[in-house]
Amino acid sequence: MIPDAESLAIMRKLEFKQPSTWIATWGGLGFLNPAPGTWGTLGALPFALIFYSIGNIFGVLILLGIVVYYGLKAIEKFEAQTGTHDSKMIVIDEVAGMLVAFLPAGMNPLLIFISFILFRFFDIVKPGPIGTIDEKMPGARGVMADDLLAGAAAAAITLVLYYAGLG
């Protein structure tokens, strides 16, 4: 779990007293190696479950709105501080994408697992428009948008599986 040279150089530029650093890295999960995106995705699940248990799908949608709003601001500050774009340490976008992927899963453990695997697949492989957005959309919106689209793709398949009888 020792950071590589590139990560250490980025970390030296960060202002750790700023909430934006901790929001962008989802409480520091973005600093974990290997696979910070997977750690960030896993870090979304307890919050998704809590908000779902409080307010069903509407609770998760409220959380998603909060994550996207503050996530975009945190990504902007993170990138301004470090001079990077879409650093692997920024995982708030994975949190947002996983929240979208989670929506049709509800409290079904199998569907939660499937939505997680599908989201990570689409986030890593970036097929079609997901990759196009990742490559062409600048700034914080670009960092966030590809993960939201990956989450939507995972949610669509999870929803089909739910109606096919896995739910």
Side-chain angles (χ1 to χ4, degrees):
M1 296 242 189
I2 299 171
D4 56 32
E6 177 186 342
S7 297
L8 285 173
I10 292 170
M11 290 172 74
R12 286 188 192 104
K13 297 176 183 178
L14 285 171
E15 297 175 25
F16 286 95
K17 292 183 180 181
Q18 294 295 316
S20 60
T21 298
W22 298 104
I23 292 169
T25 64
W26 198 243
L29 291 177
F31 299 128
L32 296 178
N33 279 307
T38 300
W39 289 109
T41 304
L42 285 170
L45 289 175
F47 292 89
L49 293 167
I50 290 167
F51 275 74
Y52 189 88
S53 69
I54 293 169
N56 257 332
I57 197 169
F58 300 107
V60 179
L61 287 170
I62 289 168
L63 176 60
L64 176 61
I66 292 167
V67 165
V68 169
Y69 178 79
Y70 287 104
L72 287 169
K73 292 181 178 304
I75 292 167
E76 287 174 2
K77 289 183 181 180
F78 188 102
E79 291 188 341
Q81 285 176 23
T82 62
T84 62
H85 175 66
D86 203 4
S87 166
K88 65 183 179 182
M89 289 182 216
I90 297 172
V91 296
I92 191 73
D93 53 329
E94 274 83 7
V95 172
M98 186 60 220
L99 291 175
V100 172
F102 174 88
L103 289 170
M107 298 298 269
N108 181 311
L110 178 59
L111 290 178
I112 292 169
F113 177 74
I114 289 169
S115 68
F116 173 84
I117 296 299
L118 287 170
F119 171 68
R120 290 307 297 145
F121 170 78
F122 286 117
D123 186 35
I124 293 166
V125 175
K126 299 186 186 311
I130 299 168
T132 302
I133 287 174
D134 182 54
E135 293 170 9
K136 305 224 180 215
M137 189 178 283
R141 290 180 305 143
V143 174
M144 186 69 75
D146 72 300
D147 290 87
L148 292 173
L149 192 54
I157 294 172
T158 302
L159 192 60
V160 167
L161 294 173
Y162 171 80
Y163 283 110
L166 285 181

